[in-house]
Amino acid sequence: MTEYTPANTGTVTRYVVVESYNVTPADVAIRAYEIAKGVMIKENCFGLVVMGKEEDVDRVIAEVRKMDPAHIFVKDRGFPPGDARRCRATLGGARPGFHGIEFEMGILPYISHALEELDHRDAAVIAAPKSAQNAPRLDVYTLKKMIDAQEP
């Protein structure tokens, strides 16, 4: 096996995922390029990949999230853009993790809606959640039956 020598030590890589009707990934990319001093930005179909020193990446992300805070999300990525261990140009086909992001994109509209609703509500009016102590417990036999039903 080839020994791995890290090329980007001291950096972080984050996804900026855009799920908005008002702002496109291209809009976010343009804004990020304007303030990108010290970071590398890669535009893709769902948003951006931003890599650089953590404080610089955080600065860029904080600025672009101002464009539509309830519809722009951030996710850590373990590999820098173009890393041969994860790059689809090297591996062929969809990048590992792409299908996970594709699934998450289907959930983001619900999260966006919840965030927008929270902005319109008064915290004093929202009822406290029910106590988890009073929730009925799942017995072991029912759990075993559920597990067995999932196996082929």
Side-chain angles (χ1 to χ4, degrees):
M1 177 181 251
T2 307
E3 186 175 324
Y4 173 69
T5 306
N8 301 301
T9 55
T11 64
V12 296
T13 304
R14 297 212 171 97
Y15 286 127
V16 177
V17 181
V18 180
E19 185 288 311
S20 175
Y21 297 106
N22 302 319
V23 178
T24 67
D27 296 333
V28 174
I30 289 168
R31 181 65 183 130
Y33 291 136
E34 292 172 349
I35 57 173
K37 184 178 179 189
V39 299
M40 184 181 90
I41 295 171
K42 180 181 178 203
E43 189 177 349
N44 56 32
C45 59
F46 56 80
L48 308 173
V49 181
V50 183
M51 185 189 83
K53 292 181 182 171
E54 188 166 10
E55 56 275 1
D56 294 333
V57 170
D58 289 344
R59 175 184 51 80
V60 170
I61 288 173
E63 192 63 34
V64 298
R65 285 204 69 238
K66 290 177 184 177
M67 297 173 75
D68 196 352
H71 296 270
I72 298 175
F73 299 90
V74 180
K75 179 177 181 172
D76 285 325
R77 181 180 188 205
F79 300 92
D83 190 301
R85 297 168 295 165
R86 286 290 190 241
C87 184
R88 67 187 177 115
T90 307
L91 300 174
R95 178 190 58 74
F98 172 78
H99 298 295
I101 291 175
E102 186 179 38
F103 172 77
E104 291 167 358
M105 288 292 290
I107 298 171
L108 292 181
Y110 299 107
I111 297 170
S112 293
H113 177 73
L115 291 171
E116 289 172 338
E117 283 296 314
L118 284 175
D119 286 342
H120 301 344
R121 292 187 183 185
D122 180 12
V125 178
I126 300 172
K130 295 179 182 177
S131 171
Q133 296 288 358
N134 299 334
R137 296 184 182 251
L138 181 66
D139 66 280
V140 175
Y141 301 107
T142 305
L143 177 62
K144 172 100 171 80
K145 197 186 265 186
M146 291 168 65
I147 292 169
D148 292 340
Q150 293 297 317
E151 293 182 6

